[in-house]
Amino acid sequence: MTHLDPIALAQDLIRCPSVTPADGGAISVVERALSEMGFTCHRLPFQAPGSERVENLYARLGSEGPNFCFAGHTDVVPVGNRAGWRHDPFGAGIENGVLYGRGASDMKSAVAAFVAASSRYLSANTPKGSISLLITGDEEGPGINGTSAVLRWLKERGETIDHCLVGEPTSAARTGDIIKIGRRGTMRIAMTAKGIQGHTAYPQNALNPIPILANLVARLHAQPLDNGTDHFEPTSLVFTTFDVGNPATNVSPGEASAACNIRFNDSHTSDELLAHVARMAKTVTDDMGGEITLDHNVSGEAFLTAPGAYTELLRAAVQKITGLEAQYSTGGGTSDARFIKDYCPVAELGLPGTTMHKTDECMPIAEIETLTKIYTEILTAYFAAPPA
């Protein structure tokens, strides 16, 4: 089997204008390469009610276990101000050994490395198990028609994944210096305080909701939720808005609203945090009157893939290829690993993320080659001695 070039494949992917939820031909690029390698490919378009259709791909080589899965996405964030780009965001040009374009960092280059590493491994080996790739076009979007939908499809078929590696740009200075073994949970809580509207000249006839809500905001801001855990930093609660929407200068409003974002560690669940805020709100209204209602949405719960045989296999592969002692981390935002963790152990290892989502997003081609070598070594080690 001929080795696929990860740089050429990354260029082909970057040239596809796959801004979420558009596919732009990106999934077909991956499907074509994998089909030629003997993978059985399933195109999986999903469209939940009220949303836009998303193209996904699940490809598998082999039918036996263990099933090792590479997971990632081909969709990208918008370009923003096109005039600010020195390079064509979908041109995939290379200058001084650096590949430029939207997705060079996050994460078309890693998807190319998945495919190229699989071709390198299969040119000399027959895996005692299966290699699969779960590629979505909805990671940068709502996330409802992508990885979570594909996982449900797999479950309905009775198909299992034993271990998964997500190729998000988790590294810092050099490829492989950080391995993500978990993610913080993320939730948003909106708070609405209701009082009694009235004339500012007669405050005794009104109940101003602004001090009521301000009291709750101050209490939540002042009280730390925890001191962190063994693998996570302390939970943060950050207010993102405080609104009244009252243009009148002589009217005490009847309603005020605020919202916060909570990034929480594995000592909490979203339900527990919502209950905590509700208790604080009741304390305030018991003291000051009025009513506070809460609304919330959860992007993902906190999770941890505990250090063990699987994570050490990844770490050993990095060290063998780069000489680096990879550090475990749970920092950053969310990723599709938040869905995968309900199905199998999952970790994240990819390129440096310093330019992701930025103007002139780019990646040195040497880093892409290094990642391809790491992924190839991971496949070699995994099928030589699958972790329990």
Side-chain angles (χ1 to χ4, degrees):
M1 180 183 295
T2 303
H3 287 185
L4 292 178
D5 178 8
I7 310 305
L9 189 55
Q11 288 180 292
D12 288 344
L13 287 170
I14 289 170
R15 292 181 182 122
C16 299
S18 54
V19 177
T20 317
D23 171 60
I27 292 291
S28 293
V29 170
V30 181
E31 180 183 22
R32 197 159 45 244
L34 292 174
S35 295
E36 292 174 357
M37 292 163 57
F39 281 76
T40 299
C41 295
H42 301 273
R43 287 291 287 266
L44 301 169
F46 290 112
Q47 184 173 12
S51 65
E52 297 185 76
R53 173 182 165 125
V54 170
E55 291 290 330
N56 305 283
L57 175 70
Y58 178 73
R60 180 167 176 169
L61 182 71
S63 58
E64 303 298 321
N67 178 10
F68 181 85
C69 181
F70 288 117
H73 63 93
T74 53
D75 62 318
V76 296
V77 297
V79 169
N81 180 12
R82 175 65 182 83
W85 286 71
R86 189 168 64 89
H87 300 83
D88 182 350
F90 299 112
I94 296 175
E95 182 178 303
N96 298 323
V98 178
L99 173 63
Y100 288 86
R102 183 59 88 217
S105 173
D106 187 13
M107 60 162 283
K108 289 182 174 181
S109 296
V111 172
F114 288 163
V115 179
S118 298
S119 76
R120 292 181 185 184
Y121 174 76
L122 293 170
S123 68
N125 303 276
T126 299
K128 295 179 181 178
S130 301
I131 302 172
S132 60
L133 286 88
L134 192 168
I135 309 298
T136 181
D138 193 30
E139 198 276 342
E140 302 289 6
I144 58 177
N145 293 315
T147 297
S148 58
V150 176
L151 289 168
R152 287 194 299 271
W153 179 83
L154 288 172
K155 187 175 182 180
E156 290 166 1
R157 287 166 54 90
E159 188 157 344
T160 59
I161 297 172
D162 292 278
H163 293 86
C164 185
L165 184 65
V166 179
E168 287 289 342
T170 56
S171 297
R174 293 176 56 191
T175 297
D177 58 6
I178 292 176
I179 298 173
K180 292 278 177 77
I181 60 170
R183 292 275 186 168
R184 294 178 295 173
T186 305
M187 68 184 300
R188 179 181 185 272
I189 301 180
M191 312 160 194
T192 302
K194 296 180 180 179
I196 300 173
Q197 182 176 308
H199 198 297
T200 56
Y202 304 95
Q204 68 275 15
N205 296 329
L207 180 61
N208 193 327
I210 296 176
I212 297 170
L213 187 59
N215 190 324
L216 176 60
V217 169
R219 287 171 182 256
L220 291 171
H221 176 74
Q223 183 181 80
L225 288 164
D226 57 65
N227 295 316
T229 64
D230 288 346
H231 295 284
F232 287 86
E233 61 190 72
T235 296
S236 63
L237 186 155
V238 178
F239 279 92
T240 58
T241 185
F242 193 115
D243 301 294
V244 179
N246 178 22
T249 60
N250 61 347
V251 175
S252 173
E255 189 171 292
S257 62
C260 67
N261 179 271
I262 307 177
R263 302 294 173 116
F264 56 97
N265 59 41
D266 57 347
S267 63
H268 305 279
T269 67
S270 59
D271 287 343
E272 291 168 352
L273 289 166
L274 182 64
H276 167 72
V277 174
R279 286 192 298 270
M280 296 281 277
K282 185 177 185 304
T283 298
V284 170
T285 55
D286 284 349
D287 181 47
M288 302 181 69
E291 177 187 359
I292 296 176
T293 58
L294 305 177
D295 191 15
H296 77 289
N297 58 69
V298 180
S299 298
E301 299 288 344
F303 74 92
L304 176 72
T305 299
Y310 176 48
T311 61
E312 286 303 309
L313 182 150
L314 302 178
R315 209 177 202 177
V318 169
Q319 187 168 45
K320 182 173 181 178
I321 299 301
T322 69
L324 297 173
E325 184 74 23
Q327 301 299 305
Y328 292 145
S329 170
T330 58
T334 59
S335 75
D336 278 358
R338 70 188 190 273
F339 304 122
I340 300 168
K341 53 89 175 171
D342 293 328
Y343 290 79
C344 68
V346 59
E348 301 176 65
L349 170 59
L351 294 161
T354 51
T355 67
M356 61 178 172
H357 296 199
K358 291 184 177 181
T359 299
D360 278 325
E361 181 177 346
C362 61
M363 187 58 56
I365 60 176
E367 297 291 343
I368 301 172
E369 178 59 34
T370 295
L371 185 64
T372 303
K373 290 178 180 178
I374 292 172
Y375 287 164
T376 305
E377 176 58 27
I378 287 170
L379 290 173
T380 301
Y382 185 87
F383 290 110

